[in-house]
Amino acid sequence: KAGVTQTPRYLIKTRGQQVTLSCSPISGHRSVSWYQQTPGQGLQFLFEYFSETQRNKGNFPGRFSGRQFSNSRSEMNVSTLELGDSALYLCASSSEGGSTIYFGEGSWLTVV
Amino acid sequence: GENVEQHPSTLSVQEGDSAVIKCTYSDSASNYFPWYKQELGKRPQLIIDIRSNVGEKKDQRIAVTLNKTAKHFSLHITETQPEDSAVYFCAASKGGNDMRFGAGTRLTVKP
C-alpha cells in the first residue's frame, strides 16, 4: 500500500505570494490532517478534514485554509505569505474511526 | 484546548543505557497517546501508542506507561542503540486526528 504522498516536496516563494500544497492519503483513509513543523514551535495542528468537511481547526490565522476532495485528496493554501510561514508542512492520514495517523514526507516551504 | 508538555528537551545516554521521556497533558478527555520518532530530514513515524483504558504497553525495547489520574505518560527505551538517536514526540488526542504534540526530545545515544 502506498503511503501518504505530498507535493511539491520543496518550494521557494516570495513574501505576499500564495501557495497550494497537495496531499494524497493512504488508500482507504478518509481523514486528512495538516501540521506545520518549525524548529521553534514544533509540530502544530492546522486542520483536519473528513469526508470533504473540516472537522477540527487549530489556532492559525485565516490565511491558512484547506479543502478535501471526494477522493479524499486534500490541499492546503496559504495566502499572503510571510517570512514566518517558512516551515515543513506535514500531511497525515488515518482510517475512519482510527486515531493512528501516518505522515507524509512533507513539503518544505521557504518564504524569502 | 489540549496542552502537552514534554521533558527533557534533550537527552544524551550511553549505548546500552535506558532513556525515559515524560509528557503531561491538560485535557482529561484525551484518550489516545502516541509516540513518534523523527530522524533528521524524515517524516515522524509512529513507534508505539497507548489508549486510556490501558496503563502500560510494551514492544520489544520500547514501553509506554500512562497515569490518567496524574495526566502524564512516559516513553521508556531500554538497551539503547545509536540508531535510536532521533527526535521523539509525544502527542495526545480525544479520538479525532487533531493531535496535540509535545515540543520534542532530541535523544542522542553515544556509542
Side-chain angles (χ1 to χ4, degrees):
Chain A
K1 214 182 229 186
V4 179
T5 305
Q6 291 187 245
T7 57
R9 291 293 320 281
Y10 306 92
L11 65 167
I12 300 173
K13 290 285 187 178
T14 305
R15 268 184 304 173
Q17 287 187 313
Q18 65 113 23
V19 67
T20 299
L21 308 177
S22 180
C23 172
S24 293
I26 291 171
S27 178
H29 285 190
R30 294 170 60 188
S31 170
V32 173
S33 47
W34 289 89
Y35 296 81
Q36 181 195 64
Q37 186 173 28
T38 59
Q41 298 295 321
L43 272 161
Q44 292 196 291
F45 171 73
L46 281 155
F47 27 66
E48 182 211 358
Y49 286 86
F50 183 83
S51 292
E52 302 178 66
T53 301
Q54 187 180 86
R55 193 156 67 170
N56 290 293
K57 190 177 189 304
N59 299 321
F60 278 81
R63 300 185 298 107
F64 292 81
S65 63
R67 59 178 176 168
Q68 187 180 33
F69 303 94
S70 58
N71 62 357
S72 294
R73 191 178 68 85
S74 177
E75 289 181 347
M76 68 162 282
N77 183 278
V78 187
S79 61
T80 320
L81 284 165
E82 301 176 358
L83 295 179
D85 296 333
S86 295
L88 175 65
Y89 290 88
L90 290 159
C91 168
S93 75
S94 72
S95 59
E96 181 177 357
S99 295
T100 302
I101 64 172
Y102 299 91
F103 286 96
E105 296 284 5
S107 293
W108 287 94
L109 170 65
T110 301
V111 182
V112 297
Chain B
E2 175 66 275
N3 183 44
V4 178
E5 294 192 358
Q6 182 172 347
H7 299 279
S9 56
T10 61
L11 178 60
S12 181
V13 300
Q14 210 62 38
E15 182 177 359
D17 287 349
S18 295
V20 180
I21 302 171
K22 298 182 179 182
C23 289
T24 60
Y25 61 99
S26 60
D27 192 338
S28 56
S30 290
N31 57 18
Y32 177 64
F33 308 92
W35 286 87
Y36 286 84
K37 174 184 180 182
Q38 187 175 30
E39 297 175 357
L40 191 62
K42 297 191 176 180
R43 73 184 87 187
Q45 294 204 299
L46 179 74
I47 56 171
I48 195 167
D49 57 9
I50 192 168
R51 297 183 188 274
S52 59
N53 58 346
V54 175
E56 183 175 359
K57 184 176 178 181
K58 289 179 91 169
D59 183 4
Q60 298 181 5
R61 297 186 295 109
I62 294 173
V64 57
T65 59
L66 171 65
N67 183 325
K68 283 171 55 181
T69 304
K71 293 202 283 251
H72 68 70
F73 56 113
S74 301
L75 176 72
H76 304 252
I77 306 174
T78 58
E79 300 172 26
T80 53
Q81 300 166 4
E83 50 265 40
D84 293 330
S85 296
V87 178
Y88 291 81
F89 292 95
C90 63
S93 85
K94 290 182 275 192
N97 295 326
D98 57 337
M99 297 283 172
R100 305 302 164 130
F101 285 84
T105 296
R106 183 174 299 279
L107 172 65
T108 303
V109 180
K110 299 177 183 176

